[in-house]
Amino acid sequence: MFHHFAAVAAVSSVTASTGVLSQATGLTDSDLSNLKVSPNFSFFPFMDLVSNMVGGLWALSLIIAVAVWICAAIAWGAGRVIKSGPMQQYSGTVFIWCALATMVLGSAMAIVKFFATQALF
């Protein structure tokens, strides 16, 4: 097994120094820089349906997160009024998690655009 790794390392060092690999594959750096591939969201006829479904689920999850956030705030206030420590603790935890979920859901498009436009190479 070690022999296999050593052979691969030796071949890669030889090809890196001599450029034999680029000659063997026939690709040059200019060929790779001219390669343009981008997402085509209109290729399949059902892509509008998928886009609408994802947008609808995103909006629904945002509405549910805000509704649970409001319910957690009301439960925390009720726990405070009746002096129930566990109720305050659990509703406070749910309040914080729902606040974080609302922030992530609200900024999801910005997060996706940020990572989609990062140059990997």
Side-chain angles (χ1 to χ4, degrees), residues 105-120:
L105 286 169
S107 61
M109 187 54 70
I111 294 169
V112 169
K113 284 183 180 179
F114 173 77
F115 285 109
T117 57
Q118 293 302 310
L120 297 177

Side-chain angles (χ1 to χ4, degrees), residues 31-45:
D31 292 335
L32 296 177
S33 66
N34 292 332
L35 183 64
K36 303 281 190 257
V37 177
S38 62
N40 184 1
F41 294 108
S42 62
F43 181 76
F44 293 110

